[in-house]
Amino acid sequence: MLLDAANTVMLKAGCAPGEPLRVTSPFVTVAEDDGSAGSPLCRMPGVTFGFGPGSRYRKQVGVVDGRLQTCSVVWKAPRTPDEPAAQYVMAGDPRMAALFAGLPEGAGHGLVRTECNGRPTVFYGNAGSGLKGSGRPGDRRVFENFTESVSRRIGCGAGEGA
């Protein structure tokens, strides 16, 4: 999540390195028999991608609580590190929400700021180039579905204002 935000900020500022920053430590993988990236992603209604037959995408769930929720998709290839393909994050802690300062805002950019239960809260979503355009029914709608689903779960309404 943080590397994705850093890569986006460096790209927007014109100081991105030739190769994007990458994660070298493993992500937490969903504790299910089938970790393939299915529908709905990370058990969130409406967070769906068309992965195609024989895809090598896997979902990975991190923290799921009232102040932080993460869901990632990685592309898996033999004998290579997992490649981040999509990230969805809700950060409801002021320090975590501050990490997203300076990024373009709005559902079209995959970043929405709001206030939930008196706390600044950020909803962030990014589909990498391998998954861009494969959101069902669309990438923006997938992000909006993520925002609405997590908003309801944390008691922040049904995504109103988010």
Side-chain angles (χ1 to χ4, degrees), residues 72-149:
S72 299
V73 178
V74 297
W75 184 76
K76 300 183 78 63
R79 297 176 300 283
T80 62
D82 294 350
E83 183 72 31
Q87 299 82 32
Y88 290 88
V89 177
M90 177 280 298
D93 177 89
R95 291 180 185 170
M96 290 293 289
L99 294 172
F100 296 87
L103 292 175
E105 294 184 32
H109 293 289
L111 179 70
V112 174
R113 293 179 188 282
T114 190
E115 190 171 298
C116 294
N117 305 317
R119 295 186 324 261
T121 303
V122 172
F123 295 89
Y124 172 79
N126 180 42
S129 60
L131 289 179
K132 276 233 191 285
S134 66
R136 300 290 181 253
D139 292 352
R140 181 177 175 150
R141 187 65 224 162
V142 167
F143 173 71
E144 291 168 347
N145 290 344
F146 164 76
T147 301
E148 292 167 8
S149 176

